[in-house]
Amino acid sequence: MNLRVIDKTAQTNAPTHTPHKRNPGFPLDLDWVERVRMNRSALERRAGSIGARRTVKKDYQLAWLLKAITLIDLTTLNSDDTDGRVERLCAKARHPLRADILEKLDIGDLRILPGAVCVYHNFVKTAVSALEGTGIPVAAVSTAFPHGLAPVETKLREIELSVADGAKEIDIVIERGMVLRGDWQGLYDQVKAFRKACGDAHIKTILGTGELATQTNIAKASLVCMMAGADFIKTSTGKEKVNANLVTSLTMIRMIRWFAEETGIEIGYKPAGGIATAGDATKYMALMKEELGTHWLQPHLFRFGASSLLTDIERQLEHGLTGHYAADYRQPMV
């Protein structure tokens, strides 16, 4: 099977992030924030068209799925996580596809690895050690994940400790109450302080969009976080009742586009929570491509927060080769 189409449509080498100008942060512009309005009905109509007008078939579909692997933040954020589970997850990150699938696809020369491994702070050292030599960064959830309700000093210290343990990316959570009461200065000040504590580690701001009530609130929170220096804006912790969806994604992506038009700075986007199938992944990739361009389909600008997505992608790749779906146990995660 010839998958050299990957070179044009889904080039991999995930850990080698293309250098780009990092967000330096900007002064809080409340006039800009107050101008933000989102039309939910229009967003829903646009989101409903994603995946309905065109499909990706055959070799190109397999190439998109391989590309999707490089965009995954392979995640375990369970209350019963252990060092052993994290080590097994990192072993999967090192070898996300079975050797026989790589051989049959004739892509053994391509470096297909996930964008990062995401864990709680307690397991950062374990993950860093397990991934040594791979170039796969470790992301740590921080700032009293998932609720974000702790003293600011505690949250800043948690960030500092994760960075000291080797985390290259920090996924922080905002206080949703600040958005609901319109405390944009407070939100800006906190995110700016978190960014400073991260140092060279990139910061992803988790909005908890399912708890922000309106698309306009989501858009305003996205903008404030980007002004404060966020490298990524992220939908959810995965613990809310409503997590990532295409409507919310469209809201956040359009704020990213507006921010880039006004500042020249490209901000990354990370949908998280509930993205479990290859079909889900390709819809989000199509949305990014159509709204922001193929350029944004790179690990330094787009990630999936997912724990089970890789399993389904592996099953779909095997189906593309054999015409049959394998049982889940043939693609174990941990």
Side-chain angles (χ1 to χ4, degrees):
M1 180 172 290
N2 178 16
L3 287 186
R4 297 303 96 186
V5 293
I6 296 170
D7 295 335
K8 294 182 179 179
T9 63
Q11 187 59 48
T12 54
N13 293 326
T16 308
H17 295 176
T18 304
H20 77 297
K21 185 176 180 181
R22 190 178 182 192
N23 183 8
F26 296 86
L28 177 62
D29 184 344
L30 289 174
D31 288 338
W32 188 1
V33 175
E34 291 307 316
R35 292 201 309 271
V36 173
R37 295 289 186 276
M38 287 290 162
N39 183 326
R40 184 180 181 94
S41 295
L43 292 168
E44 289 175 343
R45 287 195 298 272
R46 171 69 178 108
S49 72
I50 301 300
R53 290 175 296 142
R54 63 180 65 88
T55 56
V56 182
K57 297 293 187 181
K58 299 182 180 180
D59 285 0
Y60 286 94
Q61 182 181 41
L62 300 183
W64 271 57
L65 294 181
L66 291 170
K67 179 62 177 178
I69 293 173
T70 74
L71 304 173
I72 294 174
D73 278 2
L74 204 54
T75 301
T76 182
L77 296 171
N78 301 307
S79 58
D80 59 350
D81 281 344
T82 63
D83 287 322
R85 173 179 286 169
V86 170
E87 288 169 347
R88 291 191 296 273
L89 187 70
C90 291
K92 185 64 175 177
R94 281 176 168 271
H95 304 285
L97 294 173
R98 299 198 322 265
D100 62 308
I101 293 178
L102 291 173
E103 181 180 355
K104 290 177 182 177
L105 291 173
D106 189 25
I107 54 171
D109 59 321
L110 295 180
R111 186 174 164 82
I112 299 172
L113 298 172
V117 168
C118 186
V119 296
Y120 280 115
H121 163 73
N122 289 8
F123 302 105
V124 170
K125 282 186 177 179
T126 300
V128 168
S129 177
L131 294 171
E132 185 177 0
T134 65
I136 302 171
V138 173
V141 294
S142 194
T143 61
F145 179 93
H147 47 73
L149 299 176
V152 174
E153 295 77 11
T154 300
K155 294 190 280 191
L156 290 171
R157 184 58 178 156
E158 187 178 8
I159 292 172
E160 293 167 352
L161 290 171
S162 291
V163 173
D165 283 352
K168 299 300 183 184
E169 302 175 0
I170 303 293
D171 290 28
I172 66 99
V173 289
I174 67 169
E175 294 183 29
R176 279 69 119 189
M178 288 182 170
V179 177
L180 296 174
R181 61 179 180 267
D183 184 6
W184 305 119
Q185 186 68 58
L187 176 61
Y188 175 86
D189 290 343
Q190 276 204 12
V191 174
K192 188 174 181 180
F194 297 156
R195 160 65 189 270
K196 183 178 180 181
C198 286
D200 291 335
H202 281 211
I203 179 173
K204 308 191 195 92
T205 56
I206 308 172
L207 304 186
T209 54
E211 298 174 342
L212 297 187
T214 69
Q215 293 300 313
T216 296
N217 279 348
I218 292 167
K220 290 182 176 182
S222 298
L223 179 58
V224 171
C225 288
M226 291 188 287
M227 289 177 178
D231 296 295
F232 269 72
I233 52 174
K234 175 179 173 182
T235 59
S236 321
T237 65
K239 309 297 184 181
E240 294 91 51
K241 291 182 179 178
V242 178
N243 293 292
N245 59 63
L246 292 176
V247 174
T248 294
S249 294
L250 189 55
T251 293
M252 297 173 72
I253 288 168
R254 289 190 170 171
M255 294 310 299
I256 288 172
R257 185 170 65 196
W258 193 5
F259 190 80
E261 290 170 351
E262 295 292 328
T263 68
I265 298 298
E266 298 173 339
I267 304 299
Y269 176 60
K270 179 179 175 180
I275 302 172
T277 70
D280 292 338
T282 54
K283 285 182 180 179
Y284 281 97
M285 291 169 71
L287 180 64
M288 292 297 289
K289 182 178 184 295
E290 292 183 13
E291 291 287 324
L292 294 175
T294 305
H295 168 67
W296 243 271
L297 289 174
Q298 303 180 65
H300 71 282
L301 289 173
F302 182 56
R303 301 281 185 84
F304 298 107
S307 55
S308 58
L309 174 59
L310 180 56
T311 298
D312 192 60
I313 288 176
E314 198 169 12
R315 291 181 71 235
Q316 295 297 332
L317 288 170
E318 186 165 2
H319 179 267
L321 290 169
T322 67
H324 302 286
Y325 285 107
D328 286 351
Y329 71 81
R330 285 181 54 81
Q331 291 89 19
M333 282 296 296
V334 295

